[in-house]
Amino acid sequence: MPRMGYSFPEEVLEHVFSFIQSDEDRNAISEVCRSWHDIERWSRRRVFVGNCYAISPTMVIRRFPEVRSVKLKGKPHFADFNLVPEGWGGYVAPWISAMASAYPWLEEIRLKRMVITDESLELISKSFKNFKVLVLSSCEGFSTDGLAAIAANCRNLRELDLGESEVEDLSGHWLSRFPDNYTSMVSLNIACLGWEVSFSALERLVGRCPNLRTLRLNRAVPLDKLANLLCRAPQLVELGTGAYSSELRPDVFSNLSGAFSGCKELKSLSGFWDVVPGYLPAVYPICSKLKSLNLSYATIQSPELIKLVSQCQNLQRLWVLDYIEDAGLDALAASCKDLRELRVFPSDPFGQEPNVPLTEQGLVSVSEGCPKLQSVLYFCRQMSNAALMTIARNRPNMTRFRLCIIEPHTPDYLTLQPLDVGFGAIVEHCKDLRRLSLSGLLTDRVFEYIGTHAKKLEMLSVAFAGESDLGLHHILSGCDNLRKLEIRDCPFGDKALLANAAKLETMRSLWMSSCSVSFGACKLLGQKMPGLNVEVIDERGPPDLRPESCPIDKLYVYRTVSGPRFDMPGFVWTMAENPALRLS
Amino acid sequence: MQGVVGGGAGAVSGGGGSSTSDASMSTVSKEDNPVLSSEDSSSCLDESELELGLGLSLGVGVGACKAQQGPRGGQYARILTAKDFPYVGSSTSASVSSSSSSSSSSSSSSLSRANVTAGTKRSADSVAAANGASSQVVGWPPIRAYRMNSLVNQAKLPATEVFNSLIVKSRNSNPAVGKGTSNACVNANEKGQLRSSLFVKVNMDGIPIGRKVDLSSHRCYETLAQKLEDMFATSRSGGEEHDMMVDAITPSKLLDGSSGFVLTYEDKEGDWMLVGDVPWGMFINSVRRLRIMRASEANGLAPRLEESNGGQRNKPI
């Protein structure tokens, strides 16, 4: 191949490239010239495909023949909230079979919102001799039999993280399939498993893996056994307890307390199902070292929460239920000056009335007291523009702001105005905002603010907001870095969508459900934009049996280089360039 | 960390599925943009509803009938801005989504009251009750199923009162925590079986291998019965007796017993009950496992058809 006279030999370039890990940088490198493109593609070891349907496994393998680590995402985010019907897709099987032959040295597979079967798990366990990391985040379709295959065959496994997956629990004995001479576990997360695993197998496994850093147990592991486990793994850095409840007995308490004290490296705690508050003091000895605390399943009241949290001066991340109350958040703001991330979940999401005194005030306090706060997920029942403006001014360093006011269309409770100017302040002051979720009563104006100011925004979630297509148009025409847009129950229709069709090719995906997009517009979009898959999801039946002006139920548009997919269920139609390709 | 493989700025090569993309910008070739009018005349879209057409191939806010090819063929398609919408002012469109005149921030003031109500009406339709019964809207509030299940199993069970009284006791450091309160866990499933979703075992008479079903993914008896029918229709154990069963089982028959099988469950007290007699929520809270029982063996469990008054209790068979 032609080579510039002054360039380095390939081996040198390859060595230099090996220091470059980020996908963006590697993509940039690959565009310099043909030879750099080739050297880069042979040396790329990690691939991240944000939408498994954007490209085919064959194409990935052809371009990057020596990959060691793959990360794939499947279903759209709103699948987490049951908006994507079962069977929509996200099947990983074609990827696993393609990689089984093409990447014998594959070490890591990370999946999010995908469907993976036991067969695929077995294929993984047998195809990749050096397999090390399996992360299944919000996945489904497999059972403990698949896990047994992984345990039995993956001699070099370091990480097994089941995330919040749905696992069919056929037997707790899969854990015993790790051979006696297997000692390499570093991270094990089985928190999502509903039934007991074999405790003795768990104990032995924990005892013989000296490098175990992360252990997230499931609820079925009783509290009186926790001390035992901790004593076998005092080197743990991250722990998820099982059920944190037991009859109050001094011996159990002192064992537990002693065991926790022995874990000098512990920095992250989670679990805490069914908490009996009497046992909370057992963790006090390690509170000051904690950086991450997930109490979002702990139904304990504000006083206990305050006692606990006030001792965690180094806390960076807190997930908690709204039982913490405004008072608890005040205490948090006073004690935890290093806090970076706060998530407050609702204890009674379907109640009509507030069940705890948690309001916008708690969030305002934390925004005032915690200078490093940059990531917020907050469920509450009232909000005001004034509070949002205060938060925005306090925390211009905010990067992720997700507010969920539980009742749709709730206005500013003080002025009864829409919350447009409040969110407007957020996007105006927080110039590095990357993720935003809106709620409350909102007109088109808030979208104008977003389009004007939110130039770094990458992901936007909108529900029950806006008045007209102008709202959608502001977003699509203004947000230069938008990658993912998900919208539900908004009066957005065809005009803004079609007028900004080209924008959709610069984004990963767009989701619109219960809006006013017509079937005709979807067809037009699909025909005109060959670089997009325009999927109409409608469980009412084929959309061409209704008038074209009829709004469709759900729309999922994503860019792709591999054309329409072929694994769609009966209620999904792709609007294709060539009508003959359209599957119905 | 950009997601799309093969892209520079994230753009992908258009047309076909060619793998490597040396070009960093996508090109939309002219052949992909046929004259708009011939396409649109065959579509049934009302012109007034689609005055803007597509951003790609339009000039400036051209209506559907004007056959104007994009003068910028070959370049990356320009994203239209508000000033490209000279026709937007007309509000003759009957569609719910209308837009006011483009230029500035005062645009929202020109929205008529009717448009606003039309806009909000659509979303109000999706909310089940006018006074915001948000519990009836699918997927709202946006909380993952995983978390919901935990909430259900913790806070909402009738055992909550028991739990609260235990809390009071433990706060008072009462050492006399006797047998009755020995298991201080909220989840009413004793015997150490704790769960974050609601998987229960299901056995069917004549099929040696049982299954498990996640009750939390169902909201009514019909979908559960359908799921069970699917599950056991695909299990391939058993002989001719099994084939007969497969033919016989449909959801309604399973629930009303006319298939020759009845769906029963064992409750917390160890009694076997007919499925379907109590409200779903009550069933969820008390079921321990399911059994698809031959009707002939269902002695004493009053058949569904015969107007049973809550089912009669029976010892496990």
Side-chain angles (χ1 to χ4, degrees):
Chain A
M1 63 187 82
R3 214 178 279 195
M4 305 290 240
Y6 54 81
S7 78
F8 293 116
E10 277 187 33
E11 295 77 14
V12 175
L13 282 172
E14 201 174 319
H15 182 68
V16 172
F17 292 173
S18 71
F19 293 101
I20 301 185
Q21 303 292 342
S22 101
D23 285 344
E24 249 185 88
D25 292 340
R26 282 200 159 250
N27 290 346
I29 287 174
S30 69
E31 284 160 23
V32 169
C33 63
R34 182 93 221 179
S35 72
W36 279 40
H37 179 91
D38 274 350
I39 297 167
E40 193 283 315
R41 67 181 262 265
W42 280 93
S43 64
R44 196 176 303 212
R45 298 281 175 264
R46 319 187 134 251
V47 167
F48 166 55
V49 180
N51 173 4
C52 63
Y53 292 120
I55 189 165
S56 73
T58 314
M59 288 157 76
V60 174
I61 291 168
R62 187 158 52 209
R63 168 122 187 236
F64 300 117
E66 296 280 336
V67 164
R68 301 271 188 274
S69 161
V70 169
K71 180 168 179 179
L72 302 173
K73 292 190 179 178
K75 302 185 208 170
H77 173 237
F78 272 177
D80 285 353
F81 316 126
N82 298 328
L83 288 177
V84 178
E86 181 115 1
W88 170 83
Y91 303 108
V92 78
W95 289 85
I96 305 293
S97 17
M99 295 191 300
S101 35
Y103 293 152
W105 300 109
L106 191 70
E107 295 178 3
E108 306 182 352
I109 293 177
R110 293 180 171 83
L111 306 178
K112 187 162 186 179
R113 283 188 215 103
M114 295 199 75
V115 180
I116 179 166
T117 59
D118 287 343
E119 286 71 29
S120 288
L121 285 170
E122 197 168 332
L123 190 56
I124 289 172
S125 76
K126 301 212 164 117
S127 311
F128 309 118
K129 298 298 170 216
N130 205 21
F131 195 67
K132 297 199 170 112
V133 172
L134 183 63
V135 176
L136 302 175
S137 180
S138 303
C139 294
E140 56 168 349
F142 62 104
S143 77
T144 43
D145 286 354
L147 298 178
I150 296 285
N153 300 316
C154 299
R155 298 302 161 113
N156 293 309
L157 193 70
R158 291 220 214 108
E159 186 172 337
L160 178 60
D161 183 342
L162 302 180
E164 294 181 348
S165 298
E166 251 180 64
V167 186
E168 201 190 344
D169 223 317
L170 298 176
S171 154
H173 291 292
W174 66 272
L175 208 59
S176 327
R177 303 296 304 279
F178 282 108
D180 289 336
N181 61 359
Y182 166 78
T183 58
S184 35
M185 189 66 84
V186 173
S187 171
L188 179 64
N189 177 358
I190 55 168
C192 65
L193 294 182
W195 297 85
E196 300 115 357
V197 293
S198 155
F199 189 76
S200 54
L202 179 61
E203 251 186 343
R204 287 195 311 271
L205 182 64
V206 168
R208 67 177 186 271
C209 293
N211 298 319
L212 192 67
R213 284 174 34 114
T214 299
L215 180 64
R216 307 254 188 224
L217 304 169
N218 63 337
R219 197 168 171 181
V221 176
L223 188 61
D224 51 13
K225 301 245 167 90
L226 183 59
N228 236 327
L229 281 176
L230 290 180
C231 289
R232 286 169 198 240
Q235 76 283 2
L236 277 182
V237 176
E238 302 183 323
L239 172 73
T241 72
Y244 205 77
S245 66
S246 177
E247 191 183 309
L248 274 180
R249 282 168 27 206
D251 55 329
V252 174
F253 183 91
S254 63
N255 283 346
L256 191 58
S257 185
F260 271 116
S261 307
C263 293
K264 308 281 184 207
E265 310 295 322
L266 212 45
K267 299 217 170 38
S268 165
L269 278 183
S270 64
F272 294 106
W273 288 284
D274 314 316
V275 175
V276 166
Y279 275 108
L280 281 177
V283 307
Y284 288 174
I286 49 146
C287 277
S288 59
K289 299 207 200 100
L290 285 181
K291 293 209 169 137
S292 169
L293 188 50
N294 182 353
L295 294 168
S296 61
Y297 298 105
T299 53
I300 44 179
Q301 306 299 315
S302 187
E304 276 94 26
L305 283 167
I306 292 177
K307 261 190 257 164
L308 187 53
V309 153
S310 313
Q311 300 186 58
C312 302
Q313 299 89 356
N314 289 308
L315 204 60
Q316 294 182 4
R317 178 197 302 168
L318 176 67
W319 291 21
V320 73
L321 285 170
D322 57 8
Y323 289 134
I324 194 167
E325 301 180 9
D326 286 342
L329 291 176
D330 289 340
L332 181 69
S335 314
C336 305
K337 295 304 184 185
D338 209 23
L339 195 71
R340 323 267 163 110
E341 178 180 327
L342 173 67
R343 295 196 189 190
V344 178
F345 295 96
S347 53
D348 184 18
F350 300 127
Q352 300 287 356
E353 298 300 318
N355 59 325
V356 285
L358 179 112
T359 68
E360 81 285 3
Q361 195 44 53
L363 186 56
V364 171
S365 293
V366 179
S367 77
E368 269 159 10
C370 302
K372 298 202 190 148
L373 184 71
Q374 52 179 226
S375 173
V376 166
L377 170 61
Y378 199 76
F379 283 82
C380 60
R381 286 189 159 84
Q382 69 183 43
M383 187 49 62
S384 67
N385 283 310
L388 284 170
M389 287 179 346
T390 305
I391 292 166
R393 278 192 230 105
N394 285 341
R395 293 274 64 79
N397 52 328
M398 191 79 74
T399 55
R400 292 181 200 82
F401 190 74
R402 295 154 70 188
L403 180 67
C404 180
I405 303 165
I406 289 180
E407 191 59 43
H409 306 123
T410 303
D412 176 327
Y413 76 100
L414 295 169
T415 65
L416 299 184
Q417 291 299 302
L419 290 167
D420 301 335
V421 294
F423 280 105
I426 295 276
V427 293
E428 193 179 338
H429 290 272
C430 307
K431 303 209 187 304
D432 290 322
L433 195 69
R434 294 199 307 267
R435 185 165 179 186
L436 178 65
S437 298
L438 306 173
S439 57
L441 181 66
L442 297 164
T443 71
D444 284 346
R445 176 153 286 185
V446 70
F447 300 112
E448 196 188 332
Y449 294 140
I450 292 173
T452 306
H453 294 287
K455 293 305 183 188
K456 300 268 184 71
L457 193 66
E458 296 178 3
M459 182 167 177
L460 179 63
S461 306
V462 187
F464 304 105
E467 304 158 297
S468 77
D469 266 32
L470 200 54
L472 180 57
H473 175 68
H474 283 308
I475 301 170
L476 291 176
S477 58
C479 296
D480 299 334
N481 278 296
L482 196 63
R483 291 193 292 122
K484 288 180 278 183
L485 179 59
E486 46 185 26
I487 300 172
R488 62 164 296 174
D489 293 276
C490 295
F492 299 149
D494 302 341
K495 287 194 179 116
L497 189 61
L498 293 174
N500 293 283
K503 170 72 171 175
L504 298 178
E505 263 192 0
T506 70
M507 294 164 51
R508 182 186 297 173
S509 65
L510 165 69
W511 170 277
M512 289 178 75
S513 58
S514 304
C515 296
S516 311
V517 180
S518 73
F519 180 53
C522 296
K523 282 204 300 189
L524 196 53
L525 192 62
Q527 284 161 15
K528 299 303 179 200
M529 306 292 296
L532 297 176
N533 273 357
V534 178
E535 290 190 10
V536 170
I537 301 166
D538 208 323
E539 290 175 288
R540 296 172 295 179
D544 48 13
L545 298 182
R546 287 182 291 278
E548 288 210 351
S549 54
C550 225
I552 51 146
D553 187 22
K554 297 168 180 168
L555 173 68
Y556 185 48
V557 180
Y558 53 90
R559 66 180 174 190
T560 179
V561 291
S562 56
R565 58 185 176 111
F566 297 107
D567 60 357
M568 296 182 297
F571 50 84
V572 179
W573 295 267
T574 296
M575 308 292 107
E577 199 181 345
N578 179 353
L581 276 182
R582 201 193 315 160
L583 302 163
S584 57
Chain B
M1 41 161 197
Q2 292 310 308
V4 176
V5 171
V12 295
S13 50
S18 63
S19 56
T20 59
S21 52
D22 296 328
S24 62
M25 299 296 265
S26 76
T27 57
V28 181
S29 61
K30 285 187 185 125
E31 326 51 287
D32 291 335
N33 291 336
V35 169
L36 201 57
S37 62
S38 60
E39 289 285 325
D40 278 358
S41 58
S42 61
S43 89
C44 310
L45 284 160
D46 186 3
E47 279 170 26
S48 66
E49 299 204 15
L50 261 189
E51 287 158 359
L52 301 174
L54 265 189
L56 263 189
S57 54
L58 283 184
V60 181
V62 175
C65 277
K66 298 186 185 167
Q68 182 168 339
Q69 296 236 17
R72 49 193 78 75
Q75 279 174 217
Y76 192 64
R78 183 172 71 89
I79 294 173
L80 296 188
T81 59
K83 58 183 182 315
D84 292 320
F85 299 159
Y87 297 102
V88 175
S90 67
S91 51
T92 56
S93 161
S95 73
V96 169
S97 59
S98 64
S99 28
S100 57
S101 76
S102 55
S103 47
S104 71
S105 55
S106 58
S107 55
S108 55
S109 60
S110 62
L111 274 177
S112 67
R113 191 73 210 137
N115 288 340
V116 172
T117 45
T120 53
K121 181 179 189 295
R122 179 69 177 86
S123 54
D125 283 345
S126 345
V127 179
N131 58 352
S134 48
S135 57
Q136 302 196 32
V137 180
V138 173
W140 191 267
I143 300 172
R144 290 183 170 189
Y146 181 72
R147 188 170 290 286
M148 289 291 209
N149 287 342
S150 280
L151 280 181
V152 165
N153 282 337
Q154 292 193 96
K156 304 279 192 185
L157 285 179
T160 305
E161 271 100 80
V162 176
F163 174 66
N164 285 339
S165 65
L166 289 172
I167 289 288
V168 170
K169 283 193 182 142
S170 61
R171 272 194 204 146
N172 296 338
S173 311
N174 186 348
V177 180
K179 236 177 129 185
T181 55
S182 61
N183 208 343
C185 67
V186 177
N187 191 309
N189 276 335
E190 292 83 20
K191 301 192 178 172
Q193 283 188 338
L194 302 166
R195 51 193 188 192
S196 49
S197 47
L198 285 159
F199 280 98
V200 294
K201 294 186 186 172
V202 191
N203 284 84
M204 178 164 175
D205 287 1
I207 297 181
I209 298 174
R211 303 291 302 271
K212 281 193 187 176
V213 64
D214 181 5
L215 293 179
S216 66
S217 64
H218 296 276
R219 299 270 176 271
C220 67
Y221 290 117
E222 281 68 36
T223 62
L224 173 63
Q226 174 71 61
K227 174 81 183 186
L228 292 175
E229 186 236 359
D230 292 343
M231 251 184 199
F232 286 97
T234 54
S235 63
R236 289 280 171 262
S237 55
E240 50 190 68
E241 201 182 357
H242 167 70
D243 292 335
M244 186 180 72
M245 287 188 277
V246 167
D247 289 336
I249 292 188
T250 61
S252 57
K253 292 180 184 173
L254 197 59
L255 281 179
D256 66 20
S258 60
S259 60
F261 284 82
V262 291
L263 184 56
T264 65
Y265 71 103
E266 184 184 19
D267 71 5
K268 281 189 298 220
E269 277 102 47
D271 298 312
W272 286 91
M273 320 277 282
L274 269 181
V275 166
D277 286 335
V278 301
W280 178 258
M282 208 186 284
F283 166 68
I284 287 281
N285 280 339
S286 56
V287 61
R288 277 226 304 249
R289 54 183 166 140
L290 295 169
R291 178 175 162 190
I292 303 174
M293 200 184 280
R294 283 192 200 89
S296 53
E297 292 197 22
N299 300 325
L301 290 174
R304 202 72 188 96
L305 288 172
E306 289 170 12
E307 299 294 323
S308 69
N309 52 351
Q312 296 172 20
R313 300 195 157 210
N314 194 26
K315 291 301 166 205
I317 294 163

